[in-house]
Each structure stands twice: as C-alpha cells, then as structure tokens.
Amino acid sequence: MGINVWSYLAEYEAEREDLLEAVDKVFRSGQLVLGTSVRSFEAAFAAMHDVGHCVGVDNGTNALALALRALDVGPGDEVITVSNTAAPTVVAIDAVGATPVFVDVRPETQLMDVSKLASAVTERTRCLLPVHLYGQAVDMRAVNQVAQDFGLAVLEDCAQAHGARQSGQIVGSFGDAAAFSFYPTKVLGAYGDGGAVIVDDEQVAATLRRLRYYGMDDRYYVVETPGFNSRLDEVQAEILLRKLSRLEQYISARRAIAATYDAAFAGSDLGLPTVAAGNDHVYYLYVVRHPAREEIMRQMKGAGITLNISYPWPVHTMSGFAHLGQGVGSLPVTERLADEIFSLPMYPTLSEPDQARVIDELLRILARL
C-alpha cells in the first residue's frame, strides 16, 4: 500500500457515525443555509479564540478578501505579506484591488522576517498580513508594534495554524481580524470548502455578515453595499462543530508524529523544522530541507511514498504577479528555500507502521546520496 502525504480515509472510518449523524441532523432541520449549525459553530469558534465574533464564509480565500474589505482595504492601498505562502493569500489581496508588497522570511522558521516590516511601509501601506505558516505563529509582538507605530491594520492568515499559540495566546487573537480556511487538509478540516473570519469589533463583524450575504442585512433584504454570496454551508458547519471538540486530539497526534520524525532524523543532514521561541507548533505540515530534494522525492515515490512541496514557486515569481516588480532575486531567502523544502506525510491517523516506513525509506535514501 502506498503512503500519501495526506489522507482523511482512516479518520473518516473512525468518525463516520458522528459525521453521518451531523449530515442527517442538518437535512432534518429544515434549515439548509445560515441556520442553527452555522450560528453554533460561529459561537464556539469565537469562544475558543476569546473574541467577540466569528463569521463563517465559503472558503479561506474569501475569508481573507472579505476581511480586507471589512477593514477598509482596497484600491490604492498596499498590504505587506510574504511570498512563501499559498497563492490564495496574495490572490485575496489582489481581489480587493490592493497591491501586495512582499518581505522576505527567516531561513530557520520560514516565517515572515519581521525585522524587514518597517522598511517596507510606505504612505500607501494600509495593512500587515502575517501568515502563520505550516502550523506556527509569526512574531506577533513585533508585527503589532510596527502596526501601532504606523497606524496600520493587522490581518492574521491562520489557514495553517488552527489552535497554535504564541506565549500562551492563541493565533487569531492578536490582530484586528483573522482569517481561517477549513479546506479538508487543514488541522481543522471540513469535508469540502469552508472558512471563517474572527474579530472583536462589532461593526467589522456586521460588515462581514453583510459582505458574505450579497451586501444585505438579512433582516431587511436590502443591499446597503454590494457584497458576495460567500456563506458557510450548514452541513460543513455542523461537521466542523463536531470536529472542533476533537481539535486538541488532532493536534496532539500531529505533535507526536513530529516528535517521532525529529528523533529519527536528528543525526541526518536533513534540515528539520525549527520552532520559534514561545511558539506551540501544531504541525499542519512537517517541512524539511535538503539540496537533493528532487532525487529524494523521486526515490520516495518509487518506494510508494508521496511527498509534497509547499511551495515550489514563490508567489512573486509567478507570471500572474510579474507586474508587481518583485521578480527573481528580490527575496533571496524565500527563493533559496523554494529549491530545497518538501513535506513528509503528516496527518493525525498516520499509523506508526507507516511512520516507520517513511523514516526507514528516507534514511536509506539519505545514506546513499
């Protein structure tokens, strides 16, 4: 049997009864759109982050885009973020008419290099968008200090870091707003698309609810400001509500697998993940580095083990963003990482025998390089 970098099948078998009950509950409720399940999940997710409001939306990309709009970011504004991220982070900035401005990342953590933020700020800068990559947090104390110094909004991209903490504080609770994706691969994943924005500010939350619902206040059916059809589905909300109660179990399993990998590869020449001081990593991905990446991945695939690269093409090098003028050579650390990084299989139900097989095959390959 092959080993995939991610799979939900064993988790589904273990949780099947509860998940099917969730679907049945929604279908029997008489409310298929913006009903009890969405409201219950929003309340639980907001409470988990100790913030006032959660607004469920259809996916993580729109969570970012609607959050930017609700924070009054739009045409003529600049948003500072990173290129070492999934393209949707930058697509969302572009979708609101703003201009993404990239800063480089730290080589050891691959997270935003916060020391470069202040020099990237211009008179057009409106928002800082740190990406909590792979399951751990950017230095939010430093991000918030720059935001305070220059009067900027802070939008956290938490798509890869559900439940992660920094100095005891949960990610998503540091900035003015935070966007989440519940794509199936995520630490908290739905069985389809889903997303959410969490905020403390009641007015911003009200704006978000209108934006996800055509721009309407749902009590009056009158468009105040044109919006979108970006609602979180009732079925996915009910599934997420039930999975939310198991989030700490998922995180514990991921950390155990990461610890096993750490111990097994400690003596090798594989570049292992570095956890920044004060961070509690949730290991959405277990990302390693090696200059012979392509050969390693080829041989692992031959052994029936699929690995992944997150991300092989930094966003600033993509043709769709060539107009930004930050081409090859502008972000040397990001570009160097893109040539070496790859992910090992990581999901809560990855069995111990499969973990051992990944380790044995990779150690064998490393020894022969």
Side-chain angles (χ1 to χ4, degrees):
M1 291 287 291
I3 301 174
N4 291 323
V5 74
W6 174 80
S7 174
Y8 71 92
L9 295 175
E11 180 181 291
Y12 175 69
E13 289 303 321
E15 300 179 359
R16 181 174 181 273
E17 184 175 341
D18 188 42
L19 295 170
L20 294 182
E21 183 183 292
V23 175
D24 188 62
K25 176 183 176 180
V26 172
F27 286 176
R28 291 177 182 273
S29 71
Q31 293 181 302
L32 297 179
V33 178
L34 292 184
T36 302
S37 294
V38 167
R39 290 192 295 272
S40 296
F41 173 72
E42 288 175 337
F45 203 65
M48 168 186 164
H49 294 87
D50 195 27
V51 299
H53 307 276
C54 170
V55 180
V57 297
D58 52 345
N59 57 64
T61 308
N62 283 340
L64 286 165
L66 297 187
L68 287 167
R69 290 180 186 275
L71 294 171
D72 293 323
V73 177
D77 295 331
E78 292 179 346
V79 178
I80 301 175
T81 190
V82 292
S83 180
N84 182 35
T85 183
T89 303
V90 184
V91 168
I93 298 170
D94 184 74
V96 304
T99 300
V101 174
F102 302 113
V103 295
D104 218 338
V105 297
R106 299 289 303 171
E108 67 278 8
T109 62
Q110 305 176 37
L111 297 168
M112 175 183 275
D113 187 341
V114 294
S115 70
K116 299 184 181 300
L117 280 176
S119 62
V121 174
T122 73
E123 62 181 13
R124 295 174 56 196
T125 306
R126 179 70 181 85
C127 181
L128 305 180
L129 205 168
V131 180
H132 301 312
L133 198 69
Y134 304 151
Q136 69 169 327
V138 175
D139 181 352
M140 290 306 299
R141 181 196 61 79
V143 170
N144 284 341
Q145 185 61 58
V146 173
Q148 180 180 329
D149 291 345
F150 292 93
L152 306 175
V154 175
L155 171 59
E156 298 175 68
D157 184 341
C158 300
Q160 301 187 10
H162 309 78
R165 292 179 180 271
Q166 185 169 89
S167 300
Q169 184 174 342
I170 194 165
V171 300
S173 65
F174 289 92
D176 296 287
F180 291 81
S181 167
F182 303 121
Y183 188 73
T185 62
K186 305 301 185 183
V187 178
L188 178 64
Y191 276 71
D193 272 319
V197 183
I198 59 172
V199 296
D200 247 341
D201 188 286
E202 186 171 351
Q203 184 174 347
V204 174
T207 299
L208 284 163
R209 292 190 181 97
R210 287 193 296 271
L211 286 171
R212 75 170 176 188
Y213 191 61
Y214 312 111
M216 298 176 183
D217 183 326
D218 58 5
R219 294 170 298 175
Y220 299 110
Y221 229 77
V222 175
V223 172
E224 297 184 12
T225 302
F228 308 88
N229 180 2
S230 297
R231 301 166 298 210
L232 178 62
D233 181 79
E234 275 287 291
V235 171
Q236 300 302 341
E238 184 64 31
I239 289 172
L240 287 166
L241 179 62
R242 292 165 185 247
K243 292 188 72 176
L244 187 61
S245 67
R246 298 187 282 269
L247 178 59
E248 289 305 318
Q249 297 174 34
Y250 303 149
I251 292 172
S252 293
R254 288 174 178 273
R255 286 174 173 157
I257 295 167
T260 298
Y261 284 156
D262 284 347
F265 298 117
S268 74
D269 62 347
L270 201 63
L272 302 181
T274 297
V275 181
N279 276 357
D280 293 325
H281 205 312
V282 296
Y283 293 99
Y284 167 60
L285 299 175
Y286 189 90
V287 178
V288 297
R289 297 176 61 183
H290 199 283
R293 176 185 69 192
E294 303 306 324
E295 179 61 19
I296 290 170
M297 292 184 68
R298 186 190 69 79
Q299 291 193 39
M300 290 289 278
K301 185 176 183 180
I305 300 170
T306 303
L307 308 181
N308 190 43
I309 305 173
S310 298
Y311 301 92
W313 301 286
V315 180
H316 73 286
T317 67
M318 297 179 182
S319 59
F321 295 102
H323 62 283
L324 298 176
Q326 286 187 260
V328 174
S330 62
L331 301 171
V333 177
T334 296
E335 292 163 28
R336 184 168 67 252
L337 289 170
D339 291 334
E340 298 182 353
I341 55 177
F342 59 101
S343 303
L344 304 188
M346 171 58 75
Y347 49 94
T349 53
L350 183 65
S351 68
E352 291 186 1
D354 281 351
Q355 292 172 47
R357 184 175 157 199
V358 170
I359 290 166
D360 291 345
E361 289 290 349
L362 185 47
L363 286 174
R364 179 184 61 79
I365 293 167
L366 290 170
R368 295 167 62 178
L369 288 175

